[in-house]
Structure formats: structure tokens, C-alpha cells
């Protein structure tokens, strides 16, 4: 796999173990959803990738250039979890300032986004609404013409129209310029809408990684009926819920394999169909 | 103000951060300049009539040794104003480059905009050092404005102008301010913004409000090559230390 970002065995401890051998890859030219419950380690991972914090162990390779450096930062667009900008600058000044650092600045895109996002250029950053701050932070990241966009909850505070505009913009960036996008979110619908790759994290480590199609194929929602209380549920069968004799859960084994496995125990597989992303997420989050 | 050079862009960033404090301090310089004129005229008359000059001369030994003669009073009052201004301005202009200036910090460890700054294609050391240079530039500008204003006022009120001594005092105040800013920059890196702000204001208040502190401040701004060299070296050492710490510190 041609990777834009490689994270290997990151360990980071604050007052608790925030990252516990976090490892994953992000393919070049993909839109990668970075999912996980609160406190799973998403923001800590992104901060280490960006060079804001340092890991106790492990390594990061960004765009094949090793750990983050000022040279690599020329090729990165970043939106942090908290979208606060300079309290001493106006919105227009933030744009002028950021332009100065990026020779590949996309003026046309800037003009389009200024129109679409309705950013008041003369307003002080402290006076902007939460949504406008987010839109400005996104403009500052996307217009850098970066090779890799790292966005920490980019749609937080955005109304549905702006959120949809952003989603379309990201897809357009990938289609036009082969940009790689890594975005963390709690919105599964956003991942389903635009992502083609997904990394799910929990308890400081990546628990699921792959293309969305792959993940959907790997996870089946299976319904079985059991005659015997002593039937053991295989490990591959997770997030199950019991309702009398019926058991419903997710499996990453093919229905035929499951049927064969359960047949010996006198269990019947009633049906199996691809799981939704939400079901996969909930099953992983419960582990 | 647009530029494609990261160095020009980072200085533009620092200018945005410093412009309000620079404006406020410049207004203060103008007000202090008027006071300087009244002070020199009134004090010169007072010392001339009271014969109290000997006591003051003892306080400004370094200036006196420069042979200013009848220009001692204008030089001494310039030293007083410049010492006060140097402390105030360097406190206002200090900062680490990752957030607001020291006087603008909120109660959090760092202003959240630090992440935006850190995402720009500059090393942390570059951000810190250019911020120190920008703060020093603003300090030089306001102290220079003060010097020009004081000289002009002396010419207007027909008092002797000890230009060399006054310029030396201004340079010493600037170098002392640089040292204070480098110290705050170092504190900002190794501790929180709140602590560095508290320590800075603690230091400034101690120098302003205690007799010993104020005497040392006034003593410092009197031109002496050895003190100048020591302050430059100390500032450079603190700036280098800040840059070294910044390389491996979590934001």
C-alpha cells in the first residue's frame, strides 16, 4: 500500500495511558475517517502526528518523510479540535498571514470559500461565532494546497449546509489533486458519505482498519436461534444481544462458516446481512 | 503586508500580536514626554535654588562620570523615565510566540491558537526567536520615540542636550528589556503561560515598587559597557535555552 501516513506503536501517557501501541496506515489519495469514542486517543494521535506532542515510544512517518518537520508542514493542512485563532487578528488578516507561509496557496479556492462560507473579513477572530471560526479554520487549512489534510472534527459547529459544502470540497480535493484526507469525527454518517478508508480506535489503539467496503464485507449482522443454553458464542461473534432463543450480533466470519460452526451445537443461523457502520462502531466501542 | 517569505510572514504574525501594545505604549511615551519637559524645567529650577544637586549626583554616578556637567538633570530624568518605560514596555511586549503576549494570556496553559501557530511551516525555535526579535524591535521603537521626543523637548525649552548619555541610557534600557523578555520567553517554554505571566509581573512590580528594586533599575540603565555585554550574553543564553527546551516540549 502506498501510504501517506504510517503510525507505528505509539505510546503516550498522561495521567493515564492515552495511546497503547497505536498503529495504522492511511493510503495515499484516500479519505480516511478516524473514528472512536470520546477519550479513545484520536486527538492525542493527531497531536503526535503533527509534532505538537511527543510519544514515549513508536514512530510516525508523514508523506514518506519521517516525523513531522517544518518542511513537511509546508505540505500539510491542519484543523485542530479547538478552532480558536489569534485573538489579536481579524479574519482577513488571518488569511493574509497564512498565505505568506504557503507558496502554493490556492487563491481561486480562497475566493470560492469566502463566498460560500460567508466569512466577515473585518471581524476580530474573538468575535466570530463558533461555526464561522470553524469555517475560517477550514479555509486556512484547505487553501494551503496541501498533500495531506489532517482535520480534527472538522464539522463541529457547522450547520448542515456548511457541513455538506465541506464534504463535497474534500471529495473534490481528492479527485482533482490526489490529496489525502484524515479526519476524525463522531459522525458516522460523514464517514459513510465520503470516506473510502476507515480507522477505528478504542482504548488508545486501533481496533479496526481498512477500506469501508472491506469492513462492511467483513462484518455481518447475524441472527441465530438456539435450542441449548450451553451454546458458546464464538469470539468472532461480537456485540451480541439475546432475546429469548434469538441471538443477534456481528461476525467477521462468512455466514457459511458460522452455520457450519454452530451446526454441531444445534444452532441455526437464520439470516446474515452486511452490518451498518454504526453497528460495527458500537460493537467495537463496547469491547 | 503580504509576502511569500515565511520569515516575513512570521514577523507579520508577531506584528499583529504586538501592534496594540505598541500603540498603547507609544501613547504613553507621548504623555510621558510632556511630563519630561515639565519635570526637567521644574527640577532644574528646584535643584538650582535648593543646592540639592550633590545628593542626586551620587545616585547617578555612572552618568556623572561621563562628564555631563550642567546636563546632569536632563540626563538623570531621562534615565528615570526610560527605566520606567523599559520595564513597562518589555513586560507588554514579552511572549513566547505560541499564543497571546504575556499580558493577554488567559488562565489556560496556552491559548488554543498555539496549535494553529505550531501547524505553520516554522520550527518552534524559529517562532520563539523571531518573537523575541519582534518584541525587541517594538521595544526599540518606543524607546527610540521617547529619546527623540525628549531631545526635541530639551531643544524647545532650551536646556542642554546630553545626547550621547541619553542614547546610552536608551540602549541600556533596551538591552535590559531584552533580558526580561528572554527570561519570560524561557519561562513560557518551561512552565505555563499563567506562571510566566505571574513571575514577569512579580519581577516588574518588585523593580518598580521597592526602593532597592527601583534603585537597581535606575542604576542599570546608566550606560556601562560591562553591564551591556553581560545583559546581551544573558539574553542570548536564555534565548538559546528557550529554543532548546521548545524542541521537545508538548504543546
Amino acid at each position: 500500500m502506498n501510504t501517506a501516513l504510517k503510525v507505528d506503536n505509539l505510546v503516550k501517557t498522561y495521567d493515564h495511558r492515552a495511546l497503547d501501541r497505536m498503529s495504522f496506515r492511511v493510503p495515499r489519495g484516500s479519505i480516511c475517517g478516524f473514528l472512536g469514542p470520546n477519550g479513545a486517543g484520536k486527538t492525542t494521535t493527531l497531536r503526535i502526528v503533527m509534532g505538537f506532542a511527543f510519544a514515549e515510544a513508536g514512530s510516525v512517518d508523514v508523506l514518506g518523510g519521517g516525523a513531522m518537520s517544518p518542511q513537511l508542514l509546508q505540505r500539510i493542512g491542519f484543523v485542530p479540535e479547538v478552532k480558536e485563532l489569534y485573538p489579536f487578528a481579524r479574519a482577513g488578516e488571518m488569511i493574509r498571514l497564512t498565505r505568506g507561509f504557503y507558496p502554493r496557496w490556492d487563491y481561486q479556492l480562497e475566493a470560492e470559500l469566502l463566498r460560500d462560507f460567508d466569512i466577515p473579513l473585518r471581524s476580530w477572530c474573538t468575535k466570530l461565532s463558533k461555526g464561522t471560526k470553524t469555517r475560517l479554520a477550514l479555509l486556512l487549512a484547505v487553501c494551503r494546497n496541501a498533500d495531506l489534510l489532517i482535520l480534527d472534527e472538522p464539522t463541529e459547529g457547522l450547520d448542515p449546509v456548511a457541513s455538506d459544502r465541506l464534504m463535497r470540497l474534500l471529495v473534490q480535493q481528492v479527485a482533482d489533486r490526489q490529496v489525502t484526507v484524515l479526519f476524525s469525527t463522531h459522525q458516522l454518517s460523514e464517514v459513510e458519505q465520503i470516506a473510502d478508508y476507515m480507522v477505528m480506535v478504542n482504548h488508545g489503539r486501533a481496533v479496526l482498519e481498512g477500506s469501508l467496503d472491506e469492513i462492511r464485507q467483513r462484518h455481518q449482522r447475524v441472527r441465530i436461534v438456539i435450542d441449548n443454553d450451553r451454546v458458546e458464542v464464538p469470539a468472532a461473534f461480537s456485540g451480541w444481544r439475546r432475546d429469548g432463543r434469538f441471538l443477534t450480533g456481528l461476525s467477521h466470519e462468512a455466514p457459511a462458516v458460522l452455520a457450519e460452526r454452530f451446526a454441531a451445537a444445534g444452532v441455526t443461523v437464520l439470516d446474515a446481512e452486511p452490518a451498518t457502520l454504526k453497528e460495527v462502531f458500537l460493537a467495537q466501542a463496547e469491547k | 503586508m503580504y509576502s511569500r517569505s515565511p520569515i516575513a510572514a512570521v514577523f507579520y504574525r508577531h506584528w499583529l500580536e504586538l501592534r496594540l501594545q505598541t500603540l498603547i505604549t507609544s501613547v504613553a511615551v507621548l504623555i510621558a514626554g510632556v511630563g519630561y519637559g515639565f519635570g526637567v524645567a521644574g527640577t532644574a529650577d528646584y535643584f538650582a535654588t535648593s543646592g540639592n544637586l550633590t545628593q542626586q549626583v551620587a545616585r547617578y554616578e555612572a552618568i556623572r562620570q561621563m562628564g555631563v556637567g550642567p546636563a546632569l538633570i536632563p540626563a538623570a530624568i531621562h534615565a528615570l523615565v526610560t527605566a520606567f518605560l523599559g520595564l513597562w514596555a518589555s513586560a507588554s511586549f514579552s511572549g513566547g510566540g505560541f499564543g497571546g503576549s504575556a499580558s493577554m494570556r488567559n488562565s489556560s496553559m496556552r491559548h488554543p491558537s498555539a496549535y494553529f501557530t505550531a501547524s505553520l511551516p516554522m520550527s518552534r525555535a524559529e517562532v520563539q526567536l523571531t518573537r523575541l526579535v519582534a518584541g525587541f524591535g517594538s521595544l526599540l521603537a518606543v524607546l527610540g520615540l521617547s529619546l527623540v521626543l525628549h531631545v526635541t523637548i530639551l531643544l524647545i525649552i532650551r536646556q542642554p542636550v546630553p545626547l550621547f548619555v541619553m542614547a546610552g541610557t536608551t540602549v541600556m534600557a533596551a538591552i535590559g528589556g531584552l533580558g526580561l523578555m528572554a527570561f519570560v520567553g524561557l519561562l513560557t517554554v518551561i512552565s505555563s503561560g499563567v506562571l510566566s505571566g505571574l513571575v514577569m509581573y512579580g519581577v516588574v512590580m518588585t523593580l518598580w515598587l521597592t526602593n532597592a528594586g527601583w534603585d537597581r533599575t535606575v542604576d542599570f540603565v546608566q550606560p556601562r559597557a560591562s553591564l551591556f555585554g553581560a545583559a546581551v550574553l544573558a539574553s542570548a543564553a536564555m534565548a538559546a535555552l528557550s529554543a532548546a527546551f521548545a524542541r521537545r516540549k508538548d504543546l
Side-chain angles (χ1 to χ4, degrees):
Chain A
M1 178 171 40
N2 188 6
T3 56
L5 177 64
K6 195 161 82 173
V7 171
D8 270 325
N9 289 309
L10 290 184
V11 175
K12 181 72 178 174
T13 311
Y14 293 112
D15 51 350
H16 64 291
R17 181 60 66 92
L19 298 184
D20 184 13
R21 286 167 288 144
M22 174 73 77
S23 299
F24 62 88
R25 309 276 184 277
V26 177
R28 212 174 271 261
S30 68
I31 299 182
C32 176
F34 195 40
L35 283 168
N38 289 331
K42 301 187 296 293
T43 294
T44 303
T45 304
L46 297 185
R47 290 179 65 217
I48 292 172
V49 167
M50 286 300 295
F52 302 160
F54 299 94
E56 288 140 36
S59 64
V60 171
D61 183 85
V62 184
L63 297 169
M68 195 60 85
S69 64
Q71 290 73 32
L72 282 170
L73 283 169
Q74 278 278 1
R75 301 168 61 195
I76 308 290
F78 176 70
V79 172
E81 184 185 23
V82 182
K83 281 91 181 164
E84 286 293 330
L85 294 164
Y86 294 143
F88 46 77
R90 297 172 194 269
E93 290 166 341
M94 285 303 305
I95 296 172
R96 270 202 299 279
L97 159 70
T98 313
R99 269 185 212 149
F101 286 97
Y102 298 93
R104 298 193 296 168
W105 185 264
D106 190 334
Y107 289 89
Q108 194 184 336
L109 183 60
E110 178 197 320
E112 280 174 28
L113 292 180
L114 279 176
R115 193 185 56 234
D116 292 357
F117 283 172
D118 194 22
I119 295 169
L121 293 176
R122 293 197 57 76
S123 292
W124 293 96
C125 290
T126 46
K127 302 288 181 192
L128 299 176
S129 69
K130 189 177 178 188
T132 310
K133 278 180 191 169
T134 302
R135 294 198 293 268
L136 178 56
L138 285 165
L139 182 150
L140 297 176
V142 175
C143 292
R144 295 175 188 191
N145 228 333
D147 295 325
L148 171 61
L149 286 172
I150 298 177
L151 314 173
D152 199 352
E153 299 185 19
T155 55
E156 194 194 21
L158 291 185
D159 60 60
V161 176
S163 184
D164 185 60
R165 175 70 181 96
L166 172 66
M167 294 294 121
R168 284 187 286 118
L169 172 69
L170 295 179
V171 172
Q172 184 193 336
Q173 291 284 305
V174 173
D176 294 350
R177 299 195 305 104
Q178 282 291 295
V179 174
T180 305
V181 179
L182 171 65
F183 72 103
S184 79
T185 181
H186 292 112
Q187 303 294 326
L188 295 168
S189 59
E190 289 171 359
V191 176
E192 286 186 309
Q193 188 184 345
I194 64 163
D196 51 13
Y197 198 84
M198 188 179 88
V199 176
M200 194 177 283
V201 297
N202 200 7
H203 303 305
R205 60 168 65 185
V207 291
L208 193 62
E209 177 186 351
S211 76
L212 248 62
D213 290 343
E214 237 175 60
I215 286 171
R216 284 196 186 108
Q217 280 168 12
R218 281 206 316 246
H219 291 81
Q220 304 282 326
R221 183 175 61 254
V222 181
R223 200 155 59 100
I224 61 177
V225 59
I226 55 174
D227 296 327
N228 185 345
D229 281 349
R230 286 170 297 175
V231 168
E232 280 186 25
V233 179
F237 199 55
S238 61
W240 56 274
R241 283 185 176 76
R242 189 166 186 163
D243 181 15
R245 291 169 54 227
F246 295 96
L247 204 63
T248 307
L250 294 190
S251 169
H252 53 74
E253 287 186 352
V257 176
L258 271 179
E260 194 177 316
R261 186 189 291 260
F262 281 114
V267 174
T268 310
V269 176
L270 290 179
D271 49 43
E273 54 188 38
T276 64
L277 202 53
K278 185 177 179 181
E279 288 168 329
V280 176
F281 179 84
L282 290 176
Q284 294 294 341
E286 282 169 7
K287 276 184 181 173
Chain B
M1 291 297 288
Y2 168 66
S3 167
R4 282 182 184 279
S5 156
I7 287 291
V10 80
F11 274 110
Y12 177 51
R13 179 232 172 265
H14 299 326
W15 162 244
L16 292 179
E17 183 181 348
L18 287 165
R19 60 186 168 175
L20 181 63
Q21 291 98 315
T22 307
L23 177 69
I24 292 169
T25 312
S26 299
V27 171
V29 164
L30 294 178
I31 294 167
V34 176
Y36 177 74
F38 284 116
V40 168
T43 314
D45 286 348
Y46 166 73
F47 281 120
T49 53
S50 70
N52 208 5
L53 199 57
T54 315
Q55 189 186 338
Q56 286 303 311
V57 167
R59 193 174 180 193
Y60 296 99
E61 180 61 22
I63 290 178
R64 192 186 60 78
Q65 284 178 4
M66 296 178 82
V68 290
L72 176 64
I73 298 301
I77 296 181
H78 175 75
L80 278 175
V81 173
T82 305
F84 186 83
L85 187 63
L87 277 178
W88 176 9
S90 53
S92 299
F93 299 155
S94 65
F98 287 93
S101 65
S103 55
M104 289 172 70
R105 280 184 204 114
N106 57 20
S107 58
S108 63
M109 287 286 282
R110 282 179 207 289
H111 192 274
S113 65
Y115 296 120
F116 172 79
T117 308
S119 78
L120 297 172
M122 300 279 289
S123 70
R124 292 189 199 177
E126 285 171 322
V127 172
Q128 282 224 300
L129 292 175
T130 52
R131 177 61 180 75
L132 180 63
V133 170
F136 184 56
S138 292
L139 180 64
L140 278 180
V142 295
L143 288 175
L145 174 67
S146 176
L147 176 65
V148 169
L149 195 63
H150 291 181
V151 168
T152 308
I153 287 166
L154 289 177
L155 291 173
I156 291 170
I157 63 175
R158 297 175 187 282
Q159 290 282 330
V161 182
L163 183 59
F164 182 66
V165 177
M166 288 170 74
T169 303
T170 300
V171 169
M172 288 304 293
I175 292 302
L178 176 67
L180 185 59
M181 287 192 286
F183 173 62
V184 174
L186 178 60
L187 279 178
T188 309
V189 177
I190 61 178
S191 68
S192 72
V194 178
L195 182 63
S196 62
L198 286 175
V199 171
M200 177 196 68
Y201 285 116
V203 169
V204 170
M205 288 301 169
T206 304
L207 295 176
W208 265 345
L209 301 178
T210 64
N211 287 334
W214 185 236
D215 285 347
R216 286 210 169 82
T217 305
V218 172
D219 188 53
F220 180 86
V221 298
Q222 297 178 63
R224 271 164 298 181
S226 57
L227 262 185
F228 176 86
V232 169
L233 282 177
S235 302
M238 284 189 284
L241 210 53
S242 304
F245 276 126
R247 287 171 64 90
R248 295 299 299 174
K249 187 90 169 19
D250 282 1
L251 276 180

